[in-house]
Amino acid sequence: VELSCIIKSTETPDPRIEWKKIRDGETSYVFFGNKMQGDFVTRAEILSRTSLVIKNTTRMDTATYRCEVAAPSDTKTIDEINIQLTVQ
């Protein structure tokens, strides 16, 4: 599955991008510090610098995924998008 987080424009040369998984009130990192975290290390990757691709998804991946972009040189320094993923 591919979850897209598209940055339209930014003044910041290298904005910080983080992906988080929110499930049952618990938040965990998926992509932080420019690398995959937890069980996503072996089965996920970042495409085009922002989109998250999760391979071999299971029902355990059902959650809200949040892409957060921090661009300190921009007028709007932080933005986020939430994507609800449901695996049947």
Side-chain angles (χ1 to χ4, degrees):
V1 66
E2 181 176 346
L3 307 178
S4 294
C5 179
I6 298 166
I7 301 172
K8 294 189 182 212
S9 65
T10 180
E11 299 291 320
T12 304
D14 192 18
R16 188 182 79 235
I17 297 155
E18 297 174 0
W19 278 93
K20 296 176 182 175
K21 177 181 176 181
I22 305 160
R23 181 182 168 121
D24 299 328
E26 301 280 325
T27 302
S28 59
Y29 282 109
V30 175
F31 182 74
F32 178 75
N34 286 323
K35 59 184 176 182
M36 289 297 163
Q37 305 293 316
D39 71 326
F40 292 97
V41 169
T42 58
R43 61 189 192 95
E45 63 181 324
I46 296 293
L47 289 183
S48 302
R49 208 168 65 92
T50 57
S51 293
L52 175 66
V53 176
I54 305 171
K55 301 170 189 168
N56 303 318
T57 55
T58 69
R59 284 189 223 142
M60 291 301 295
D61 294 314
T62 294
T64 298
Y65 289 82
R66 177 181 296 149
C67 174
E68 296 178 0
V69 179
S73 300
D74 288 47
T75 305
K76 188 171 187 179
T77 58
I78 192 161
D79 205 357
E80 64 185 43
I81 184 172
N82 290 319
I83 301 170
Q84 180 63 46
L85 174 65
T86 303
V87 181
Q88 298 287 329

